[in-house]
Amino acid sequence: MQPDLGKVYLVGAGPGDPGLLTLKGKALLECADVVVYDALISPQILTMINPQAEQIPAGKRRGRHSLGQSEITQLLVEKAKTEAIVVRLKGGDPFVFGRGGEEMQELVGAGVSVEVVPGVTSGIAAPAYAKIPLTHRDYSSSVTFVTGHESAGKYRPEVNWQAIAHGSETIVIYMGIHNLPYIVPQLLTAGLSPETPVALIRWGTFPEQEELVGTLSTIVTQVEAVAFEAPAIVVIGSVVNLRAILSGNS
Ligand SMILES: C[S@@+](CC[C@H](N)C(=O)[O-])C[C@H]1O[C@@H](n2cnc3c(N)ncnc32)[C@H](O)[C@@H]1O
C-alpha cells in the first residue's frame, strides 16, 4: 500500500429514497474531498455532499456512458493520490450488480486503500415499497437475485434460466425489462406456470414509483402496451399476490 494515497470509499446510496442512505454513507458524503457519483442517485442525496467537495458525475444509463469503466477507475486512482477522502457513490448496493467488486479489484491492484459501505439494494427495497415481501412462511422460503441484462459481448457468465426457474420460489431480476421477451419464454420452457404472478416496479422508492402486475403469460404484452421503461425490478413468484392483501385491496 502506498502511504501517500488517500482512501476510496465505495458507498451504496440506496435505491432512491434519501431516507434509505446509511448513516455511515451520509457522514462520508459530508466530509468527502471528491465524490464520483452514478446516474440514478437522488438529487436530495447529492445535496448532502460537502459543498467544498469536487463532484464528478460518472453516470451510466442504458446506451449512454458518460465515463467508461476504466476511465472511472483511473479517475479514482488519480484522485486518491491527491485527496484524502474519495467517495465513489453508487446506486443501491455497490456489490450487487453495481460493478463494485470490479472497481475494488482494480483499485486494490493499483495499491489504493478501499472500504465498502453497503447500501440498500433496489431488488429488496423496490418490492418492499410495492408491498411485496420476498419471503413469506406460506409462499416462499428462497429468493434468487439475477441479472436480466445479457447483451452481445456480455461480461458475465450466461444466466442459466432453467436452473433459475427451479432454484427458488421468488425470482428478482435486475436490468430485465428490455430482455423480458427473451426471459419469459425461457422460464415457461423450464416449466413455470403461465399463471405465475409477476410484478414490475419502476423508479422504486422514488416519488415516481410505478408498478405493473400481471402473469408470465401477460406481462410482455402489458409492458409493450404501456411502454414500461427501465429502471425497474422484476419480481416473479406467488409472493406478488401478497401485494393486494398488504395494500388492503382484497
Ligand atoms: C446496474 S444495476 C445497479 C443495481 C444497484 N447496485 C442496486 O443494488 O440496486 C441497475 C438496475 O438496478 C435496478 N434499479 C436500480 N435502482 C432502481 C430503482 N430505484 N427502482 C427499480 N429498479 C432499480 C434496475 O433493474 C436497474 O436496471
Side-chain angles (χ1 to χ4, degrees), residues 14-16 40 90-99 119-123 126 155-156 173-177 201-206 230-234:
L40 296 182
K90 300 177 80 74
D93 180 86
F95 276 3
V96 180
F97 302 122
R99 299 213 201 172
V120 177
T121 188
S122 57
Y155 44 84
R156 298 187 186 90
I173 307 175
Y174 292 68
M175 298 169 279
I177 295 299
I201 305 126
R202 177 171 191 258
W203 288 114
T205 82
F206 281 91
I233 285 291
V234 182

Side-chain angles (χ1 to χ4, degrees), residues 29-184:
L29 291 180
E30 287 167 349
C31 66
D33 298 304
V34 185
V35 179
V36 180
Y37 62 92
D38 274 349
L40 296 182
I41 311 292
S42 151
Q44 281 166 276
I45 289 180
L46 298 181
T47 65
M48 297 175 193
I49 297 172
N50 168 16
Q52 268 78 53
E54 183 184 3
Q55 299 186 27
I56 305 172
K60 289 198 208 69
R61 293 298 308 275
R62 193 182 162 81
R64 282 185 279 139
H65 285 202
S66 54
L67 279 182
Q69 193 58 49
S70 59
E71 289 171 300
I72 293 173
T73 314
Q74 195 51 44
L75 176 69
L76 294 171
V77 172
E78 288 305 317
K79 292 296 175 189
K81 284 180 186 164
T82 54
E83 308 293 346
I85 300 178
V86 180
V87 171
R88 173 70 176 109
L89 187 62
K90 300 177 80 74
D93 180 86
F95 276 3
V96 180
F97 302 122
R99 299 213 201 172
E102 293 88 327
E103 277 180 28
M104 186 162 176
Q105 217 173 342
E106 289 188 40
L107 289 164
V108 168
V112 177
S113 175
V114 185
E115 184 176 329
V116 184
V117 180
V120 177
T121 188
S122 57
I124 290 176
Y129 273 42
K131 300 190 171 62
I132 301 171
L134 298 183
T135 68
H136 185 288
R137 277 159 53 122
D138 296 334
Y139 300 97
S140 172
S141 53
S142 56
V143 188
T144 298
F145 296 98
V146 59
T147 174
H149 179 72
E150 288 190 287
S151 55
K154 66 184 185 307
Y155 44 84
R156 298 187 186 90
E158 193 176 342
V159 173
N160 181 342
W161 291 105
Q162 181 85 20
I164 296 287
H166 298 289
S168 65
E169 285 97 359
T170 306
I171 303 169
V172 176
I173 307 175
Y174 292 68
M175 298 169 279
I177 295 299
H178 291 273
N179 254 353
L180 273 184
Y182 166 76
I183 295 167
V184 167

